[in-house]
Amino acid sequence: MKMQPTIREYTASDKPMVLHLLRLNTPEYFSPEEEPDLDHYLEHEIEQYFVVEVEGEVVGCGGYNFSEDLTVGKISWDIIHPDYQGRGVGGQLLRFRIDRLKELKHVQVISVRTSQLVYKFYERNGFTLLEVVKDYWAPGFDLYRMELKE
């Protein structure tokens, strides 16, 4: 019997595993320069962040933040263990956060800033590409700014 992934709120004790997930996805999906940014985010910028567990093991994480006026919900720091990519975990976590954001009356737009490496995932999940900025995250890691169109 296969365990169903469960999503729960991030706690500080999850930080080592979240950083480990990032390292497992570097350099394929993240630049090594991004680890200090994630560390800073986890310490100072979290508004809502979640982890996905399968049989007690953290296999993914992702959150959302808001624009200053709270009208934009920004999907942030999606990271899925390589062994679980392509198995629906990322889609389940994304849908969970989109549903949460849609419940908030002040949120008018749901956006994501990602890279050329995974923007197709967001496209398949209803996001539309608005802007590309070359080498934004690091050399070879372009910014793809997208918004949910539903």
Side-chain angles (χ1 to χ4, degrees):
M1 187 172 103
K2 197 175 127 192
M3 275 292 282
Q4 199 49 19
T6 57
I7 299 172
R8 64 168 173 78
E9 288 212 25
Y10 168 89
T11 64
S13 63
D14 295 317
K15 184 177 174 182
M17 191 57 202
V18 168
L19 292 173
H20 177 67
L21 288 175
L22 180 75
R23 289 181 203 117
L24 290 175
N25 283 283
T26 302
E28 190 171 356
Y29 296 111
F30 293 95
S31 163
E33 290 93 37
E34 291 181 86
E35 187 169 332
D37 296 338
L38 177 58
D39 189 279
H40 180 83
Y41 174 86
L42 295 172
E43 290 295 324
H44 305 288
E45 295 175 11
I46 285 180
E47 292 185 52
Q48 287 289 306
Y49 204 69
F50 305 93
V51 296
V52 182
E53 288 185 328
V54 173
E55 296 178 350
E57 181 189 352
V58 174
V59 299
C61 52
Y64 57 79
N65 291 63
F66 299 102
S67 58
E68 269 187 49
D69 66 1
L70 303 179
T71 61
V72 180
K74 302 187 245 182
I75 300 294
S76 58
W77 285 108
D78 286 346
I79 311 169
I80 304 297
H81 192 292
D83 292 347
Y84 288 84
Q85 291 171 10
R87 295 172 58 185
V89 173
Q92 181 181 344
L93 178 60
L94 180 60
R95 181 55 46 198
F96 172 84
R97 290 174 293 156
I98 289 170
D99 291 347
R100 282 267 183 107
L101 286 166
K102 284 182 170 182
E103 291 171 4
L104 303 173
K105 302 272 185 260
H106 57 84
V107 174
Q108 298 164 16
V109 174
I110 298 174
S111 71
V112 66
R113 297 184 326 156
T114 188
S115 74
Q116 77 274 22
L117 305 168
V118 290
Y119 86 97
K120 289 279 189 197
F121 164 78
Y122 294 101
E123 207 170 58
R124 285 192 304 274
N125 283 280
F127 286 79
T128 301
L129 181 62
L130 300 177
E131 177 186 24
V132 176
V133 180
K134 190 119 184 76
D135 298 329
Y136 179 87
W137 306 108
F141 291 84
D142 304 340
L143 164 71
Y144 276 55
R145 191 170 64 82
M146 306 178 80
E147 283 185 2
L148 185 66
K149 301 291 183 203
E150 285 192 337

